[in-house]
Structures are given as C-alpha cells and as structure tokens.
C-alpha cells in the first residue's frame, strides 16, 4: 500500500474494541511521525500514554473542569489514549503558532500510521482540553499546552461510515493578480489638473478673508 492509498483509506473511528498497540509498537510509529517538517528541529512536542486507571484520573479531571459531580466516562471509550502536547521551545526564529503546527502534524501523521497499521483512531478534543485541572492531571509544564487525545483501539467489524468527498479544485487557487498601475501619461495629465483645482480653492479662501 502506498502513502496515497493509506491516506485515502483513513477514517476516524468513534468506536473501537478493547485491544490496543503496545508501548513498543508505538515507539516505531512515533519515530516515523516525528519526521514531520520541523523548523530548526526544535521537537516542540511530546506524547503521553494513558492506559488502565490513567483514564479514570482523566475522567475525574474533566469532571472537575466542567463542575460535574460524577467522573466523565469519555476516556473509557478506548483502551489507549495518547495525549498530544505542544511543548514550546525558546526560539527567535520559530513562533509559538508554528511550533504548535508541528505538534499537530505529529499527531495527524501518527493517526495515519496507526490506521494503516490496523488500529482504529479518532482525535478528540473538548472545551476542557486546556483547563487547569486537565493540565495538572497530565503533569504539563508552564510552557506546554494540550492539543487533545488520540483514542486508539481495535477496529470493530463492519465498514465505517462514508466520508464527504474533498472537492480539491474548490479549495485551490492562485495568487490574486496585482492591481494595474495608472498609466504614466494619465498621471502626468491628472497632476496639473489637481493642482489647478487646489489653487483655485485657496484663492477663494484668500478672497473671502480680504472681504
């Protein structure tokens, strides 16, 4: 299967089974995902594996962030959650938005690799993603932000739903044509006319003052 085939076949899986890739399985895929374009090779990202009771800790943190009494059951939808963290590095060349784009690129590429390897994946976020309670549960530093989680598990039997067609031609364009400059001869003629109007206006003002 080519990269093009794998990308065309990829689909988010909102439901997965209870099997998940091992840590060693992930190491190989993460090493490949980390090859995304990365200005100055800052590696402004890291990943956190959530397995077993880690998901209960996250459920409690989500509940705290939302002011709910009961822990959220959302983290239990998959046996493995991979938290995607933008870990910003000091740089005069690479702004924060570009570093966050790198972290997002790693997450998306990893989701493609997991899907191609036979795993079901969906990237989930939420308004609580960058709450203090959730950040604390993940042990994030002051220079870090959570971009969401890849929910990973086995692909269930049956075909996934259809995806909307990407109408590429409608999303592609060229640079807009530059605005035409005024004709040099026309500008040469307009300048004296504007000056004459301005002089006439000034002369009227002087006449009013004298009267």
């Amino acid at each position: 299967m080519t990269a093009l085939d794998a990308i065309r076949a990829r689909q988010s899986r909102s439901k997965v089974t209870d099997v998940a890739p091992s840590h060693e399985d992930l190491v190989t895929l993460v090493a490949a995902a980390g090859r995304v374009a990365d200005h100055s090779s800052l590696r402004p990202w890291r990943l956190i594996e959530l397995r077993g009771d880690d998901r209960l800790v996250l459920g409690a943190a989500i509940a705290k962030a939302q002011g709910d009494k009961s822990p959220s059951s959302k983290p239990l939808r998959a046996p493995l959650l991979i938290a995607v963290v933008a870990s910003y590095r000091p740089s005069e060349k690479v702004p924060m938005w570009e570093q966050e784009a790198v972290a997002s690129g790693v997450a998306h590429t990893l989701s493609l690799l997991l899907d191609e390897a036979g795993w079901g994946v969906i990237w989930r976020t939420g308004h609580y993603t960058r709450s203090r309670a959730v950040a604390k549960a993940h042990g994030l530093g002051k220079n870090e932000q959570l971009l969401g989680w890849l929910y990973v598990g086995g692909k269930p039997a049956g075909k996934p739903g259809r995806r909307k067609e990407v109408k590429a031609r409608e999303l592609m364009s060229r640079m807009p044509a530059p605005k035409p400059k005024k004709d040099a001869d026309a500008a040469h003629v307009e300048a004296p006319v504007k000056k004459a109007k301005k002089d006439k206006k000034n002369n009227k003002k002087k006449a009013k003052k004298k009267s």
Side-chain angles (χ1 to χ4, degrees):
M1 181 182 287
T2 66
L4 182 60
D5 292 332
I7 292 171
R8 282 176 168 170
R10 189 209 71 84
Q11 284 196 270
S12 295
R13 303 273 181 163
S14 58
K15 294 182 180 180
V16 294
T17 67
D18 290 333
V19 294
S22 68
H23 173 75
E24 290 305 315
D25 292 333
L26 290 180
V27 168
T28 301
L29 300 181
V30 171
R35 299 284 296 175
V36 299
D38 183 357
H39 191 181
S40 294
S41 297
L42 296 179
R43 302 287 188 269
W45 56 274
R46 67 186 182 96
L47 305 174
I48 303 171
E49 295 176 59
L50 283 74
R51 301 176 186 269
D53 290 347
D54 297 337
R55 299 170 302 159
L56 300 178
V57 174
L58 175 56
I62 292 175
K64 185 175 182 180
Q66 297 188 128
D68 296 334
K69 294 181 179 179
S70 302
S72 173
S73 61
K74 291 180 180 178
L76 302 179
R77 293 176 180 175
L80 168 64
L81 276 61
I82 303 174
V84 182
V85 180
S87 190
Y88 306 108
R89 316 297 187 196
S91 174
E92 295 181 358
K93 292 183 178 180
V94 190
M96 289 180 67
W97 69 262
E98 191 173 348
Q99 295 188 40
E100 187 168 316
V102 174
S104 297
V106 171
H108 180 59
T109 304
L110 180 57
S111 73
L112 289 172
L113 292 170
L114 284 164
D115 182 89
E116 195 272 338
W119 300 104
V121 189
I122 189 170
W123 189 346
R124 295 187 184 277
T125 58
H127 61 274
Y128 45 77
T129 303
R130 296 191 175 178
S131 67
R132 184 175 297 180
V134 172
K136 185 178 180 181
H138 287 79
L140 301 189
K142 292 182 179 180
N143 65 321
E144 296 182 324
Q145 288 187 321
L146 186 64
L147 303 185
W149 306 265
L150 297 181
Y151 280 53
V152 187
K155 289 183 179 179
K159 294 183 178 180
R162 293 183 178 180
R163 295 191 66 189
K164 291 184 178 179
E165 178 188 356
V166 177
K167 298 181 180 179
R169 295 185 186 279
E170 296 179 9
L171 300 170
M172 299 172 66
S173 63
R174 294 288 301 274
M175 285 280 287
K179 293 181 179 179
K181 294 181 179 179
K182 289 185 177 180
D183 184 80
D185 293 335
H188 182 72
V189 173
E190 287 179 7
V193 173
K194 288 182 179 179
K195 186 176 184 304
K197 288 182 178 180
K198 188 175 181 181
D199 291 343
K200 186 177 181 180
K201 190 175 182 180
N202 290 335
N203 289 335
K204 285 184 178 180
K205 287 182 179 180
K206 289 179 182 178
K208 285 183 178 180
K209 288 181 179 180
K210 288 181 179 180
S211 61

